[in-house]
């Protein structure tokens, strides 16, 4: 796989500083039951990285110590971690809002037959990947049969009260473009999703998040192989909007990898841009990033990071281009 960080470091991005941390986004491991072309984590069934019990136990302590109101769980498929359910229960017992970034097909994996009911019982918000409302497009990105299983998962969540107008069980969908283009207008695309999913499958949902594909890891490497990397970077830079800087997710979010190391965002995590590493970086996939050179989850028990500088590079234009993009979708309506 081609390294993208050396190319991204040649692009200048405006300096940013952190606000108070409102969300702790934790990657529990890279194991996944899918291998998607656009995946910036390079997750898949063959990945073995998994957070250990000692680090997992730190998470509720940090949530309480820093009064962090939201725990955002990701992977891979975070539900495949054996400590996933215990962590969810511990966070909910603290009154913390929990988000599960779910690929939907995990709901029908062997051993996960009661997962949907567990999420509903615990009041977990579901952010579900569905890159299109058409079967061919989804299966092209995510694998044959994924669309059918995803629809079945959504229908099951709907039956449990997710995505209903009363808003008690939140079900948000995530759209990613097919290639090196910006996502379309989020509001118009959401209207299309509502119309097509309701008409064809009787599915309802809370909101749609339109996310730009980041030029890193598997997607970035594919762009390099196809000779499209520079053109995509030029598109992101040309579409940069200064007003989006105030709302980028890294200001109020902390990203934690499966080893407990801290990053300003999930994308920096995949590039090895450790928080507090004083300029030292490396590709996590290649194992260059050193645990000793950055901050760890345990440091948050006694340390407040508000005001700290955010590590930036060319990929950050993916969050400020056009309507803007973050883990919560477009930044501007």
């Amino acid at each position: 796989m081609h390294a993208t960080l050396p190319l991204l470091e040649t692009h200048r991005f405006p300096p940013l500083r952190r606000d108070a941390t409102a969300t702790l986004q934790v990657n529990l491991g890279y194991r996944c039951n899918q291998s998607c072309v656009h995946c910036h984590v390079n997750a898949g069934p063959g990945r073995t990285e998994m957070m250990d019990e000692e680090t997992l136990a730190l998470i509720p302590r940090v949530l309480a110590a820093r009064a962090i109101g939201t725990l955002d769980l990701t992977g891979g498929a975070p539900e495949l971690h054996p400590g996933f359910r215990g962590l969810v229960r511990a966070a909910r017992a603290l009154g913390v809002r929990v988000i599960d970034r779910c690929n939907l097909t995990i709901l029908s994996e062997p051993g996960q037959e009661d997962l949907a009911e567990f999420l509903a019982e615990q009041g977990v918000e579901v952010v579900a990947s569905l890159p299109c409302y058409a079967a061919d497009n989804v299966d092209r990105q995510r694998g044959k049969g994924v669309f059918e299983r995803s629809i079945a998962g959504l229908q099951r969540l709907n039956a449990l009260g997710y995505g209903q107008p009363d808003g008690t069980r939140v079900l948000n969908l995530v759209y990613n473009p097919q290639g090196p283009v910006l996502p379309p207008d989020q509001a118009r695309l959401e209207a299309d999703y509502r119309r097509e999913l309701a008409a064809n499958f009787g599915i309802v949902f809370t909101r749609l998040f339109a996310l730009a594909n980041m030029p890193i890891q598997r997607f970035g490497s594919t762009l390099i192989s196809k000779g499209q990397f520079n053109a995509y970077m030029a598109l992101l830079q040309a579409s940069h909007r200064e007003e989006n800087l105030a709302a980028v997710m890294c200001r109020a979010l902390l990203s934690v990898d499966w080893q407990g190391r801290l990053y300003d965002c999930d994308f920096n995590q995949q590039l090895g841009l450790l928080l507090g590493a004083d300029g030292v970086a490396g590709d996590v996939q290649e194992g260059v990033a050193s645990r000793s050179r950055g901050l760890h989850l345990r440091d948050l028990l006694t340390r407040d990071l508000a005001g700290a500088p955010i590590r930036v590079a060319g990929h950050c234009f993916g969050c400020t281009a056009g309507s803007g993009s973050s883990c919560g979708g477009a930044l501007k309506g």
Side-chain angles (χ1 to χ4, degrees):
M1 190 165 64
H2 299 288
T4 55
L5 183 58
L7 300 176
L8 295 169
E9 288 182 320
T10 66
H11 298 270
R12 291 184 176 273
F13 190 83
L16 295 169
R17 288 192 175 271
R18 302 190 58 81
D19 295 327
T21 301
T23 299
L24 192 69
Q25 186 175 73
V26 180
N27 190 311
L28 294 178
Y30 299 152
R31 183 183 169 206
C32 189
N33 60 319
Q34 296 181 179
S35 296
C36 303
V37 174
H38 65 274
C39 180
H40 68 273
V41 181
N42 198 29
R47 300 298 293 269
T48 59
E49 299 91 334
M50 195 82 74
M51 183 173 285
D52 62 31
E53 292 183 8
E54 180 182 357
T55 307
L56 199 74
L58 280 172
I59 296 171
R61 295 176 60 197
V62 167
L63 293 171
R66 297 265 67 87
I68 297 172
T70 299
L71 175 63
D72 188 343
L73 298 175
T74 184
E79 306 91 347
L80 290 176
H81 192 293
F84 172 81
R85 300 192 188 198
L87 176 59
V88 168
R89 291 189 183 99
R92 293 297 290 146
L94 292 171
V96 171
R97 169 192 180 212
V98 176
I99 298 171
D100 176 29
R101 294 193 177 263
C102 177
N103 66 23
L104 292 174
T105 62
I106 194 68
L107 298 174
S108 55
E109 282 291 307
Q112 300 292 337
E113 292 85 357
D114 64 339
L115 175 60
E117 285 76 12
F118 170 79
L119 297 174
E121 173 190 294
Q122 292 295 318
V124 174
E125 295 187 18
V126 174
V127 176
S129 302
L130 191 71
C132 188
Y133 47 75
D136 289 347
N137 287 340
V138 173
D139 287 355
R140 191 180 305 121
Q141 273 199 42
R142 320 202 77 173
K144 186 176 181 181
V146 168
F147 181 77
E148 183 178 355
R149 290 179 65 192
S150 297
I151 292 299
L154 287 171
Q155 290 171 333
R156 187 172 176 186
L157 290 170
N158 276 176
L160 291 167
Y162 275 98
Q164 302 299 332
D166 61 14
T168 55
R169 288 178 176 163
V170 175
L171 172 60
N172 294 321
L173 303 184
V174 174
Y175 163 88
N176 293 94
Q178 287 283 322
V181 296
L182 292 179
D185 177 77
Q186 182 170 282
R188 287 199 293 269
L189 186 62
E190 181 176 300
D192 291 341
Y193 264 69
R194 289 193 188 282
R195 182 187 66 250
E196 296 298 321
L197 291 177
N200 295 319
F201 308 104
I203 288 171
V204 294
F205 60 93
T206 308
R207 284 193 60 202
L208 175 76
F209 298 156
L211 273 59
N213 288 326
M214 284 290 168
I216 63 176
Q217 290 286 41
R218 189 179 290 152
F219 181 71
S221 180
T222 300
L223 292 180
I224 294 172
S225 296
K226 293 183 176 180
Q228 299 174 328
F229 186 89
N230 290 336
Y232 187 55
M233 284 304 307
L235 170 65
L236 294 180
Q237 285 188 271
S239 305
H240 169 72
R241 288 171 58 178
E242 198 77 9
E243 60 268 31
N244 286 333
L245 290 172
V248 287
M249 64 181 177
C250 54
R251 289 188 180 276
L253 176 146
L254 268 174
S255 176
V256 185
D257 74 6
W258 63 278
Q259 295 180 85
R261 300 177 298 195
L262 302 185
Y263 305 82
D264 290 301
C265 71
D266 190 43
F267 308 122
N268 278 11
Q269 179 183 144
Q270 301 313 314
L271 289 167
L273 293 172
L274 290 156
L275 197 154
D278 299 325
V280 177
D283 191 312
V284 170
Q285 178 65 21
E286 297 172 359
V288 177
S290 169
R291 178 174 181 148
S292 64
R293 289 174 172 169
L295 294 175
H296 189 269
L297 186 62
R298 70 175 70 89
D299 295 313
L300 294 179
L301 294 173
T302 57
R303 186 166 179 173
D304 185 359
L305 299 179
I310 293 169
R311 302 193 66 179
V312 295
H315 63 293
C316 299
F317 286 107
C319 288
T320 61
S323 296
S325 178
S326 75
C327 286
L331 305 177
K332 299 290 183 182

